[in-house]
Amino acid sequence: MTQRTFGQPATPRPDKEIQRVLVVVAHPDDSDFGAAGTIAGWVDAGLSVTILLCTHGEQGGFDDTNREQMPAIREREQVAASAALGVKDVRFLPGHRDGWLEPSWELQRQIVEVIRDVQPQRVLIQSPERWYDRIQASHPDHLAAGEAAVRAIYPAAENRYAWPELIERQRLEPWHVNEVWIMAHPEMTHVVDITDTFGRKVAALQAHASQTGHMSDQLEDFLSGWGSGVADMFGLGQGRLGECFHIMDLG
Ligand SMILES: [Zn+2]
């Protein structure tokens, strides 16, 4: 177990202590904007990564694509984006409307099911806390997905009396998550240097053509501006690119 003093930010465990990672986000493209470079690095380090989407993101986009077609389009785009990072396990939860996500008991139970099935040591989520300085990162669905994920991680996933039918009917035994990485948190405590995986981050976001196609050539500049701002903030050095997180250690 990692030793630390309360009040000090947690630092992540070495990747070699982690075998499986679960990423939980509200919409297709969320994990790619926030963490594609980091996720690509985890894949390179041999970690098995599963991405779970709470909605199909049918409210996204900037053109008049028929909204009934959007769920299938965005599902295909997320699968392609994840493939660019080397992630093959991409799952979508049924029954949640984009823009209407709530940290409901149903959403929590669905996330608990996936946690117990995947058995991740590390889970990457969106912040349940609103970041007022960057309100776009704190879309209400992101807050809801983050809140539901935190509640699912602790206590429900590790408590056998939470939804006992998961054990009785589906043989999904309790599972303890060791570490949570939070994107778009108001207090960022950890940076990952993504300079070497940045090209795959760009490829992943290009795969979300319904969301990024209108940016065309500016997409890469936009992402590198963002990454170098993070690198500067954490002192990674000239020409480096970063992604940053708040880390929770659950022992
Ligand atoms: Zn989103």
Side-chain angles (χ1 to χ4, degrees):
M1 185 179 161
T2 310
Q3 294 293 322
R4 69 186 178 91
T5 311
F6 285 108
Q8 297 295 315
T11 49
R13 290 146 199 260
D15 284 345
K16 63 179 183 326
E17 292 180 16
I18 307 290
Q19 286 90 49
R20 293 172 301 279
V21 181
L22 174 64
V23 179
V24 182
V25 288
H27 309 122
D29 83 22
D30 288 345
S31 63
D32 295 308
F33 273 113
T38 300
I39 292 169
W42 290 341
V43 171
D44 292 349
L47 280 55
S48 165
V49 178
T50 298
I51 299 183
L52 179 67
L53 291 299
C54 298
T55 78
H56 282 75
E58 66 273 12
Q59 282 197 19
F62 302 91
D63 56 27
D64 51 6
T65 301
N66 182 334
R67 292 290 125 177
E68 286 178 13
Q69 294 171 2
M70 280 308 272
I73 291 170
R74 298 209 67 187
E75 190 165 330
R76 275 199 306 275
E77 288 175 349
Q78 183 62 61
V79 168
S82 298
L85 309 180
V87 176
K88 298 183 192 77
D89 190 3
V90 181
R91 307 183 189 189
F92 285 82
L93 292 179
H96 301 287
R97 184 172 166 186
D98 182 9
W100 292 54
L101 200 63
E102 293 285 352
S104 61
W105 297 114
E106 172 67 5
L107 179 58
Q108 291 172 52
R109 186 189 55 74
Q110 288 174 318
I111 297 172
V112 167
E113 276 188 44
V114 178
I115 290 171
R116 292 188 184 182
D117 180 44
V118 172
Q119 302 186 330
Q121 292 87 13
R122 177 181 289 166
V123 181
L124 169 66
I125 66 170
Q126 294 172 298
S127 174
E129 291 177 59
R130 186 173 271 115
W131 186 6
Y132 285 102
D133 295 335
R134 251 193 66 216
I135 199 73
Q136 294 88 346
S138 297
H139 184 294
D141 285 0
H142 299 185
L143 306 181
E147 180 65 30
V150 168
R151 294 193 204 179
I153 290 163
Y154 181 82
E158 62 185 42
N159 185 334
R160 65 174 46 253
Y161 306 109
W163 294 292
E165 66 272 24
L166 294 181
I167 301 175
E168 290 156 15
R169 293 187 205 148
Q170 294 167 257
R171 298 179 187 275
L172 292 169
E173 293 291 334
W175 180 259
H176 174 71
V177 173
N178 302 114
E179 188 178 278
V180 179
W181 291 45
I182 308 177
M183 296 184 279
H185 189 277
E187 187 192 345
M188 296 298 205
T189 57
H190 179 69
V191 68
V192 175
D193 188 321
I194 62 154
T195 314
D196 294 342
T197 53
F198 179 71
R200 283 150 73 195
K201 175 166 185 159
V202 175
L205 283 152
Q206 284 169 338
H208 291 286
S210 70
Q211 312 301 303
T212 61
H214 66 290
M215 298 173 76
S216 58
D217 297 344
Q218 292 146 27
L219 176 64
E220 184 165 349
D221 290 345
F222 169 75
L223 294 171
S224 74
W226 214 359
S228 63
V230 170
D232 286 348
M233 196 164 67
F234 284 86
L236 289 184
Q238 194 70 25
R240 308 306 292 179
L241 301 168
E243 288 171 343
C244 57
F245 305 91
H246 186 98
I247 309 288
M248 266 166 65
D249 193 295
L250 283 74

